[in-house]
Amino acid sequence: MNKTLVNDFKEIVTGRRSIRNYDPSVKISKEEMTEILTEAALAPSSVNLQPWRFVVIDSKEGKETLAPLARFNQRQVETSSAVIAVFADMQSDLYLDEIYNKAVEEGHMPAEVRDQQVPAIKGFFEAMTFEQTKEMNLIDAGLVSMQLMLVARAHGYDTNPIGGFEKDQIAEAFDLDKNRYYPVMLLSIGKAADAGYKSVRLPIEAIAEWK
């Protein structure tokens, strides 16, 4: 493997900091944000249903709407280039046919495999409870959120994951169906105004076992 690529990736991972103060003069264009989200959305998901949904909050009006819903994270809201609200679509199975048909069209999947898998997946979802669906979607949304943070680093930006916000209000605040779109986290993104702080990690001996 190319050592330069390995070292670059290590720097992206090990150099990441959760930043709370951003340079408010730095803006991320819609074109670059689209590129960042496109790369992040390559994350894996259960049966490739990609249940994540993003609301990019970068306008003055959008941040004014968000501010009272993220009361303990005002610096990130005010100074970041954007805050990305990550939701899990509890009806992501509605895209099943579209996704699998496109996979066949692009030559990624034989038609007979699609014809076997799609009915089985539909039956699987019909049997799942809301809580089971939510648990699966939260795992997938966590994967895409971490990938989004790493992709942002590769583009030269910094991030901060935010879990403390008014989850019962945010969907409706941004005109989403709160019964369908389950809030996962907020991610502030922009250029760091300071170096941030390193944080302590438990030793591997405390968190991993070999059997």
Side-chain angles (χ1 to χ4, degrees):
M1 185 177 289
N2 187 302
K3 288 186 177 181
T4 300
L5 290 176
V6 171
N7 290 335
D8 287 347
F9 180 72
K10 283 184 177 180
E11 197 283 325
I12 288 172
V13 174
T14 61
R16 190 192 66 80
R17 301 285 184 270
S18 289
I19 298 298
R20 290 162 175 77
N21 291 307
Y22 297 90
D23 180 347
S25 69
V26 174
K27 305 301 179 185
I28 302 175
S29 69
K30 185 175 181 179
E31 291 73 21
E32 186 174 16
M33 185 64 79
T34 297
E35 184 178 348
I36 290 171
L37 293 175
T38 299
E39 293 166 0
L42 294 172
S45 61
S46 303
V47 295
N48 195 30
L49 279 187
Q50 307 156 53
W52 42 74
R53 303 292 180 262
F54 307 109
V55 176
V56 180
I57 305 163
D58 63 354
S59 67
K60 180 176 181 291
E61 296 76 15
K63 288 192 171 187
E64 287 175 350
T65 298
L66 177 62
L69 305 180
R71 289 173 294 169
F72 303 109
N73 298 279
Q74 293 299 297
R75 283 181 296 171
Q76 296 96 309
V77 173
E78 292 171 5
T79 64
S80 64
S81 300
V83 178
I84 302 170
V86 182
F87 293 86
D89 183 357
M90 298 301 293
Q91 296 179 28
S92 61
D93 57 304
L94 295 177
Y95 292 90
L96 178 62
D97 288 310
E98 178 182 340
I99 292 169
Y100 278 64
N101 287 340
K102 188 173 182 180
V104 172
E105 290 170 10
E106 295 187 358
H108 305 311
M109 177 185 293
E112 56 269 24
V113 172
R114 174 200 59 195
D115 296 342
Q116 290 174 352
Q117 290 191 357
V118 167
I121 294 170
K122 287 182 177 179
F124 177 69
F125 270 83
E126 288 172 0
M128 290 178 70
T129 66
F130 179 87
E131 288 301 318
Q132 289 171 329
T133 303
K134 183 176 78 171
E135 182 179 358
M136 181 181 70
N137 285 346
L138 286 177
I139 292 171
D140 293 341
L143 288 170
V144 80
S145 297
M146 187 70 251
Q147 183 141 314
L148 177 52
M149 287 187 276
L150 295 178
V151 169
R153 280 275 297 160
H155 278 256
Y157 299 109
D158 300 282
T159 58
N160 177 220
I162 300 168
F165 60 98
E166 303 297 336
K167 293 184 178 180
D168 60 332
Q169 301 176 41
I170 193 164
E172 287 185 306
F174 291 98
D175 303 317
L176 296 179
D177 180 354
K178 68 176 183 179
N179 294 316
R180 174 171 178 175
Y181 298 100
Y182 188 86
V184 179
M185 70 176 71
L186 303 176
L187 285 172
S188 59
I189 178 173
K191 282 280 189 180
D194 54 47
Y197 300 93
K198 291 184 177 180
S199 55
V200 173
R201 291 294 183 270
L202 291 169
I204 293 302
E205 292 78 9
I207 62 174
E209 295 183 15
W210 277 256
K211 298 292 187 180

